[in-house]
Amino acid sequence: MSEMIALLGQPNSGKSTVFNALTGSRQHVGNWPGKTVEKIDGTYEHKGVRYTVTDLPGSYGLTGNSDEEVITADFIRSGKADLVCVLLDASQLERSMFMLAEFAALKRPAVVLLNMMDIAKAQGKEIDDRLLEEHLGVPVLPFTAAESAGYERLKDLFAKELKTPHMLASAPGTAAEPVKDADTVLRDSKAKFDWIKEMLEGVTRSASAAFTLSRRDQRLLSPRGGKLRCLGVIFAGFLVSMLICMPLMGLGSMIPGLLNVPVADFLNSLGVHPWLVSIFSVIIPNTLYFCVAMSGFVFGVNLVFGYLEETGFLARAAYQFDGVLSKLGLQGKAVCPLVMGFGCTIGGTSGSRVMDSWGQRMLTMAVVWAVPCASIWAVIPVISNFFFTPAQTLLVVLGILVYMVFMIMIVSRVFGRSLVPDSTRSGMIMELPPFHKPHWKHIIKEALFKAWGIFKRALRTVTLISLVFWAFSFSASGDVEGSLLYKIGTAIEPVTRFFGLGWRTFMGFLTAAFAKEAVLGVLNAVFVGQNSLLDATFRTSTMAVTDNLTLAKVMGEVVSKPEALAFMFACTFNVPCVMALTTTYRESHSLKWTARIAGFYVGGALVLSCIVYHLAALFA
Amino acid sequence: MKLTETTPGCSYAVRSIEGDSHLMNRITAIGITEGAALWTVKNDPKMPVLIYLRETLIALNRNDAERISVERDE
């Protein structure tokens, strides 16, 4: 058993930065037993000794009744951690010491990390860390988490303290257990801050007391203009993240084209079974492409979000949109993932990492699925034009937007109750950290780390789902009629008809769940029969041979207008593509919840299709 | 007076906080305690109240801000 160090700190204390810098890629993410709270462990080696680090859930205190606080307090009390590293924010020392005051009552060995020293210095704050150390009775290390310079000293300190541990010299003398009575909470909090004042006696000298909003804050926080500016920044951030990931996506999209023919030729020359040829020449290269594209997105989004979060912008956006989003059962911070979702669902789900708790995060991802992504906006107008006039197409687009808001409300109502229970639900109480210069090196490192993690973990999931799809759409002759999907589709057509979809559009609906870009190609395959279903689904990047005019003509003959309308709505509000699905699973670490939400979306899309079809049929 | 009725640019001291233990925990953990000094920074209708307290800029939603009584601190 290696010795265990636990990291404890309030949100924005830089806890996860320290954790990532210490452990690098040697991390394990899971859930605390029976709780929807992420449990993150990691290891590192220092001077030949192995250490385990636990990143405790972020919360403002330890005596509250949220899952995060109960888990953290129980874990510290259990003594599983040999040493607790308490992070303080040097730029807001007094306030951030509340966590230390709560921790003091638990009487465990500790070191104090005085983080954000760079910001405190920039604000002209002086802290006598030697005197603070004397008052507290445990080592105090001034630190800037985003700079790699201090970590050797930190590891040395951990090693030393594990051998000769220190405990806090005093405690506020309040209850260490959660208190049910509001008056006691209020009285205790005063005692805790009195203790903090005592500890800080002579330690701090701050330059000025008065506070004025900076120019930038005045502009970002104004009621109307500020909202527009925030949306503008998020939109610009989205464009930048697209620009960053484009080259990677481009490289990825070349993989199938480069591998398809040579691999197929090579395997055919060996006389390998056509199934295997198909798997290795089509599925595997395509899976690689998907995974490269996904990690490209994750990299771009994390870079931009890392920047927006570190500079303090994200908190301003959350302040602006909390009112609107709380009506939908969400938190202000969800505004960024939601806007990102219009571009790409993968971006939106990956951007949900800014949410405070796992439950909020899962709920945000579930809601982002309802936001139609750029691929949908590229496909829907084309299909709509096959059947409707431009003015009617505009109405379709508006209808989709209106239903999107409705869908967001339904999803947050259905899943919000269990993901974010009422007892933990509350209005926004949030600090707005001061604007400061980003540490680029650190942001880039974290984004690369995230992207690589997704790539590694997604390979298996995407391969698996691709194989299932392949099994259903493979046809020895290359014709649609030879595929399992065709046989099932035509067999259950009486049922899908009830939902408004014929076997052809139902097939389009199913494959849209694989990749939205594939919809036109698949429609082409089932209506015109030009290319095989497999090629249409998996080789969208290399074979853009959809003849829209012919497709429009054939579709118009077979499909009625109500069916077309039902199809468009069903496709838009079905589960997002395989890549977004995989990202959600990989980011949430919960197969159960991803499957549950996916099931809800598929069911919801079919019901929607049914309603739209029968309503439209009344008017047609 | 209530925190929602305060004027931006003025300083106040917290007099009392009403609410259940859950709310009380959240509010006090962020540093809003009885007697704490604060500046009101922004107080726009329908927007969270922005206060500066213990060297921190804090956004507080209006429902919770209603439950905090303050008095003018000269």
Side-chain angles (χ1 to χ4, degrees):
Chain A
M1 261 297 279
S2 59
E3 290 183 285
M4 187 188 270
I5 302 150
L7 300 181
L8 176 70
Q10 293 189 333
N12 300 318
S13 62
K15 197 164 51 70
S16 44
T17 308
V18 173
F19 179 77
N20 287 340
L22 279 176
T23 60
S25 56
R26 293 167 303 272
Q27 295 185 0
H28 173 79
V29 187
N31 277 59
W32 292 88
K35 294 280 193 318
T36 54
V37 176
E38 238 173 34
K39 183 180 197 304
I40 314 173
D41 298 307
T43 59
Y44 72 88
E45 248 175 63
H46 182 60
K47 297 186 175 153
V49 185
R50 207 174 148 85
Y51 299 90
T52 306
V53 190
T54 293
D55 188 8
L56 293 171
S59 62
Y60 280 100
L62 292 175
T63 52
N65 57 6
S66 73
D67 278 355
E68 278 84 1
E69 289 179 68
V70 172
I71 287 170
T72 306
D74 282 350
F75 181 79
I76 295 172
R77 213 175 281 124
S78 76
K80 280 183 192 130
D82 303 292
L83 182 67
V84 180
C85 173
V86 186
L87 282 94
L88 301 180
D89 180 346
S91 70
Q92 312 170 347
L93 189 54
E94 185 193 12
R95 199 188 53 72
S96 73
M97 271 178 73
F98 185 81
M99 183 59 108
L100 188 67
E102 300 244 279
F103 168 78
L106 298 173
K107 304 204 163 44
R108 294 290 306 162
V111 295
V112 166
L113 203 56
L114 204 51
N115 197 15
M116 318 262 176
M117 280 306 284
D118 56 336
I119 300 169
K121 275 204 189 100
Q123 290 174 343
K125 283 172 185 154
E126 280 176 47
I127 299 167
D128 186 345
D129 52 276
R130 295 304 96 200
L131 186 63
L132 182 60
E133 188 170 285
E134 209 176 284
H135 288 175
L136 291 174
V138 299
V140 173
L141 183 68
F143 205 70
T144 301
E147 285 168 9
S148 46
Y151 283 94
E152 277 305 303
R153 278 187 66 195
L154 181 63
K155 287 175 187 172
D156 283 340
L157 181 65
F158 283 162
K160 188 171 139 262
E161 286 302 309
L162 281 164
K163 283 201 187 76
T164 50
H166 290 86
M167 281 195 240
L168 286 163
S170 66
T174 49
E177 314 287 326
V179 183
K180 291 274 180 290
D181 167 46
D183 289 335
T184 317
V185 175
L186 195 58
R187 212 169 37 240
D188 281 2
S189 68
K190 201 165 178 303
K192 282 164 199 160
F193 275 103
D194 286 344
W195 178 81
I196 291 169
K197 207 171 168 191
E198 203 181 301
M199 293 296 113
L200 288 178
E201 188 74 53
V203 170
T204 48
R205 243 169 305 141
S206 65
S208 70
F211 178 81
T212 46
L213 272 184
S214 69
R215 266 263 186 76
R216 197 190 301 183
D217 257 339
Q218 277 172 15
R219 280 195 299 256
L220 273 180
L221 298 177
S222 76
R224 262 198 214 127
K227 276 195 186 63
L228 284 175
R229 282 185 196 99
C230 282
L231 282 179
V233 170
I234 299 170
F235 187 68
F238 171 72
L239 288 183
V240 171
S241 63
M242 290 304 259
L243 278 179
I244 294 168
C245 73
M246 278 306 183
L248 260 172
M249 301 247 321
L251 274 179
S253 70
M254 283 159 66
I255 295 174
L258 285 175
L259 293 183
N260 271 165
V261 180
V263 171
D265 285 351
F266 175 69
L267 290 178
N268 278 327
S269 74
L270 292 181
V272 176
H273 194 279
W275 283 13
L276 289 177
V277 177
S278 173
I279 288 177
F280 281 100
S281 68
V282 180
I283 305 299
I284 302 294
N286 191 73
T287 302
L288 270 177
Y289 159 47
F290 271 14
C291 290
V292 169
M294 279 165 73
S295 37
F297 262 115
V298 171
F299 177 69
V301 167
N302 273 281
L303 205 64
V304 170
F305 267 58
Y307 172 80
L308 291 180
E309 191 176 24
E310 219 191 80
T311 51
F313 168 82
L314 224 52
R316 273 75 183 172
Y319 161 81
Q320 287 287 9
F321 293 96
D322 191 66
V324 186
L325 290 173
S326 65
K327 286 198 189 93
L328 301 176
L330 290 167
Q331 220 188 345
K333 278 188 182 175
V335 66
C336 288
L338 279 176
V339 175
M340 288 279 194
F342 279 107
C344 171
T345 313
I346 308 167
T349 44
S350 149
S352 72
R353 74 182 185 105
V354 298
M355 307 307 293
D356 292 329
S357 68
W358 184 88
Q360 279 280 0
R361 192 165 176 207
M362 189 76 236
L363 185 62
T364 306
M365 288 194 260
V367 163
V368 166
W369 282 15
V371 179
C373 73
S375 293
I376 291 176
W377 294 122
V379 169
I380 294 299
V382 175
I383 300 176
S384 182
N385 267 326
F386 293 169
F387 298 89
F388 303 108
T389 64
Q392 285 169 326
T393 295
L394 199 67
L395 278 180
V396 171
V397 168
L398 272 178
I400 286 177
L401 283 174
V402 169
Y403 187 77
M404 175 192 82
V405 176
F406 185 62
M407 185 72 181
I408 287 176
M409 279 155 74
I410 298 177
V411 170
S412 69
R413 179 84 36 102
V414 169
F415 294 108
R417 206 158 296 157
S418 35
L419 284 173
V420 190
D422 279 338
S423 61
T424 67
R425 217 179 260 209
S426 36
M428 178 175 63
I429 302 177
M430 183 188 64
E431 56 172 305
L432 274 59
F435 277 115
H436 55 86
K437 277 208 197 90
H439 297 272
W440 273 113
K441 213 175 117 192
H442 160 68
I443 295 175
I444 292 171
K445 221 163 103 188
E446 297 249 306
L448 276 173
F449 179 64
K450 272 260 158 190
W452 175 237
I454 282 285
F455 181 80
K456 263 192 322 197
R457 287 173 293 170
L459 268 177
R460 212 176 32 182
T461 317
V462 176
T463 310
L464 203 72
I465 301 177
S466 296
L467 280 176
V468 171
F469 242 88
W470 170 84
F472 279 100
S473 56
F474 180 78
S475 146
S477 60
D479 296 332
V480 171
E481 284 78 8
S483 70
L484 205 55
L485 207 57
Y486 169 83
K487 290 187 184 101
I488 297 173
T490 43
I492 63 166
E493 195 176 16
V495 181
T496 59
R497 268 278 165 232
F498 169 73
F499 292 108
L501 301 174
W503 72 266
R504 292 183 181 88
T505 40
F506 185 68
M507 230 175 248
F509 168 76
L510 284 183
T511 39
F514 192 81
K516 305 284 178 199
E517 307 90 292
V519 169
L520 283 178
V522 168
L523 290 179
N524 204 49
V526 290
F527 283 102
V528 187
Q530 243 168 18
N531 38 18
S532 81
L533 203 54
L534 201 63
D535 280 340
T537 315
F538 286 99
R539 296 169 69 179
T540 45
S541 52
T542 44
M543 313 221 338
V545 284
T546 310
D547 179 356
N548 281 348
L549 276 175
T550 320
L551 179 58
K553 196 167 153 287
V554 182
M555 263 189 100
E557 283 163 10
V558 185
V559 175
S560 69
K561 281 183 181 182
E563 183 181 341
L565 201 62
F567 172 68
M568 285 188 283
F569 271 86
C571 273
T572 307
F573 295 102
N574 194 3
V575 288
C577 64
V578 160
M579 291 189 271
L581 212 70
T582 309
T583 316
T584 304
Y585 166 44
R586 287 310 179 183
E587 295 268 345
S588 66
H589 310 285
S590 171
L591 187 61
K592 192 184 84 183
W593 274 101
T594 310
R596 198 178 281 183
I597 293 163
F600 180 80
Y601 268 83
V602 175
L606 286 174
V607 171
L608 174 68
S609 169
C610 179
I611 294 171
V612 169
Y613 176 76
H614 291 286
L615 267 182
L618 290 179
F619 297 97
Chain B
M1 71 183 94
K2 289 173 184 165
L3 187 57
T4 44
E5 299 160 354
T6 55
T7 318
C10 297
S11 56
Y12 302 86
V14 176
R15 207 172 56 185
S16 64
I17 307 167
E18 301 273 321
D20 59 6
S21 63
H22 175 58
L23 177 80
M24 200 67 84
N25 258 313
R26 280 165 36 83
I27 284 187
T28 55
I30 206 160
I32 305 173
T33 54
E34 273 185 344
L38 63 92
W39 278 266
T40 299
V41 175
K42 242 173 140 38
N43 186 5
D44 293 322
K46 288 187 184 167
M47 293 296 286
V49 184
L50 273 187
I51 59 170
Y52 187 71
L53 166 139
R54 300 186 199 273
E55 303 173 287
T56 312
L57 185 60
I58 295 168
L60 197 68
N61 76 90
R62 293 197 86 77
N63 279 341
D64 293 343
E66 290 264 323
R67 299 161 184 270
I68 300 174
S69 305
V70 297
E71 57 197 14
R72 190 70 197 269
D73 191 9
E74 299 302 331

